[in-house]
mmCIF file of all heavy atoms in Angstrom:
data_model
loop_
_atom_site.group_PDB
_atom_site.id
_atom_site.type_symbol
_atom_site.label_atom_id
_atom_site.label_comp_id
_atom_site.label_asym_id
_atom_site.label_seq_id
_atom_site.Cartn_x
_atom_site.Cartn_y
_atom_site.Cartn_z
ATOM 1 N N PHE A 1272 -78.716 -62.784 -20.860
ATOM 2 C CA PHE A 1272 -77.269 -62.826 -21.042
ATOM 3 C C PHE A 1272 -76.807 -61.721 -22.024
ATOM 4 O O PHE A 1272 -77.460 -61.452 -23.026
ATOM 5 C CB PHE A 1272 -76.763 -64.154 -21.607
ATOM 6 C CG PHE A 1272 -77.056 -65.308 -20.735
ATOM 7 C CD1 PHE A 1272 -78.204 -66.092 -20.904
ATOM 8 C CD2 PHE A 1272 -76.156 -65.647 -19.723
ATOM 9 C CE1 PHE A 1272 -78.447 -67.192 -20.046
ATOM 10 C CE2 PHE A 1272 -76.433 -66.739 -18.924
ATOM 11 C CZ PHE A 1272 -77.587 -67.480 -19.079
ATOM 12 N N SER A 1273 -75.761 -61.019 -21.660
ATOM 13 C CA SER A 1273 -75.200 -60.030 -22.496
ATOM 14 C C SER A 1273 -73.626 -60.123 -22.576
ATOM 15 O O SER A 1273 -73.116 -60.594 -21.544
ATOM 16 C CB SER A 1273 -75.432 -58.523 -22.013
ATOM 17 O OG SER A 1273 -76.742 -58.322 -21.768
ATOM 18 N N SER A 1274 -73.063 -59.852 -23.688
ATOM 19 C CA SER A 1274 -71.635 -60.050 -23.832
ATOM 20 C C SER A 1274 -71.060 -58.767 -24.455
ATOM 21 O O SER A 1274 -71.625 -58.244 -25.379
ATOM 22 C CB SER A 1274 -71.221 -61.264 -24.668
ATOM 23 O OG SER A 1274 -71.833 -61.246 -25.824
ATOM 24 N N PHE A 1275 -69.896 -58.381 -23.926
ATOM 25 C CA PHE A 1275 -69.263 -57.133 -24.375
ATOM 26 C C PHE A 1275 -67.881 -57.489 -24.899
ATOM 27 O O PHE A 1275 -67.156 -58.334 -24.324
ATOM 28 C CB PHE A 1275 -69.166 -56.114 -23.175
ATOM 29 C CG PHE A 1275 -68.305 -54.930 -23.507
ATOM 30 C CD1 PHE A 1275 -68.857 -53.892 -24.134
ATOM 31 C CD2 PHE A 1275 -67.031 -54.905 -23.103
ATOM 32 C CE1 PHE A 1275 -68.109 -52.730 -24.426
ATOM 33 C CE2 PHE A 1275 -66.230 -53.772 -23.385
ATOM 34 C CZ PHE A 1275 -66.766 -52.655 -24.026
ATOM 35 N N LEU A 1276 -67.433 -56.713 -25.889
ATOM 36 C CA LEU A 1276 -66.105 -56.886 -26.426
ATOM 37 C C LEU A 1276 -65.443 -55.566 -26.634
ATOM 38 O O LEU A 1276 -66.015 -54.613 -27.223
ATOM 39 C CB LEU A 1276 -66.143 -57.689 -27.802
ATOM 40 C CG LEU A 1276 -64.836 -57.885 -28.548
ATOM 41 C CD1 LEU A 1276 -63.909 -58.730 -27.744
ATOM 42 C CD2 LEU A 1276 -65.120 -58.380 -29.938
ATOM 43 N N SER A 1277 -64.126 -55.470 -26.275
ATOM 44 C CA SER A 1277 -63.243 -54.438 -26.639
ATOM 45 C C SER A 1277 -62.017 -55.018 -27.265
ATOM 46 O O SER A 1277 -61.118 -55.599 -26.549
ATOM 47 C CB SER A 1277 -62.868 -53.563 -25.418
ATOM 48 O OG SER A 1277 -61.816 -52.714 -25.739
ATOM 49 N N ARG A 1278 -61.872 -54.902 -28.576
ATOM 50 C CA ARG A 1278 -60.740 -55.585 -29.271
ATOM 51 C C ARG A 1278 -59.411 -54.835 -28.925
ATOM 52 O O ARG A 1278 -58.374 -55.473 -28.742
ATOM 53 C CB ARG A 1278 -60.984 -55.594 -30.765
ATOM 54 C CG ARG A 1278 -62.024 -56.610 -31.209
ATOM 55 C CD ARG A 1278 -62.362 -56.400 -32.665
ATOM 56 N NE ARG A 1278 -62.963 -55.120 -32.863
ATOM 57 C CZ ARG A 1278 -63.211 -54.624 -34.120
ATOM 58 N NH1 ARG A 1278 -62.865 -55.265 -35.213
ATOM 59 N NH2 ARG A 1278 -63.739 -53.469 -34.270
ATOM 60 N N SER A 1279 -59.463 -53.554 -28.723
ATOM 61 C CA SER A 1279 -58.227 -52.786 -28.491
ATOM 62 C C SER A 1279 -57.705 -53.122 -27.107
ATOM 63 O O SER A 1279 -56.480 -53.113 -26.902
ATOM 64 C CB SER A 1279 -58.519 -51.296 -28.578
ATOM 65 O OG SER A 1279 -59.487 -50.881 -27.602
ATOM 66 N N LYS A 1280 -58.565 -53.508 -26.177
ATOM 67 C CA LYS A 1280 -58.121 -53.875 -24.788
ATOM 68 C C LYS A 1280 -57.892 -55.373 -24.650
ATOM 69 O O LYS A 1280 -57.500 -55.850 -23.601
ATOM 70 C CB LYS A 1280 -59.084 -53.352 -23.822
ATOM 71 C CG LYS A 1280 -59.118 -51.839 -23.707
ATOM 72 C CD LYS A 1280 -60.093 -51.340 -22.704
ATOM 73 C CE LYS A 1280 -60.145 -49.821 -22.625
ATOM 74 N NZ LYS A 1280 -61.105 -49.289 -21.653
ATOM 75 N N GLY A 1281 -58.273 -56.177 -25.643
ATOM 76 C CA GLY A 1281 -58.265 -57.599 -25.459
ATOM 77 C C GLY A 1281 -59.092 -58.059 -24.323
ATOM 78 O O GLY A 1281 -58.667 -58.890 -23.536
ATOM 79 N N TYR A 1282 -60.345 -57.611 -24.269
ATOM 80 C CA TYR A 1282 -61.189 -57.772 -23.132
ATOM 81 C C TYR A 1282 -62.561 -58.051 -23.509
ATOM 82 O O TYR A 1282 -63.125 -57.439 -24.412
ATOM 83 C CB TYR A 1282 -61.107 -56.548 -22.249
ATOM 84 C CG TYR A 1282 -62.089 -56.438 -21.103
ATOM 85 C CD1 TYR A 1282 -62.003 -57.269 -20.022
ATOM 86 C CD2 TYR A 1282 -63.154 -55.484 -21.212
ATOM 87 C CE1 TYR A 1282 -62.906 -57.149 -18.935
ATOM 88 C CE2 TYR A 1282 -64.069 -55.375 -20.132
ATOM 89 C CZ TYR A 1282 -63.950 -56.276 -19.049
ATOM 90 O OH TYR A 1282 -64.822 -56.164 -18.028
ATOM 91 N N SER A 1283 -63.218 -58.959 -22.744
ATOM 92 C CA SER A 1283 -64.631 -59.268 -22.921
ATOM 93 C C SER A 1283 -65.216 -59.575 -21.595
ATOM 94 O O SER A 1283 -64.540 -59.945 -20.661
ATOM 95 C CB SER A 1283 -64.856 -60.457 -23.890
ATOM 96 O OG SER A 1283 -66.217 -60.870 -23.965
#
Side-chain angles (χ1 to χ4, degrees):
Chain A
F1272 299 95
S1273 304
S1274 57
F1275 171 83
L1276 174 67
S1277 169
R1278 288 172 296 170
S1279 62
K1280 295 181 179 176
Y1282 169 70
S1283 173

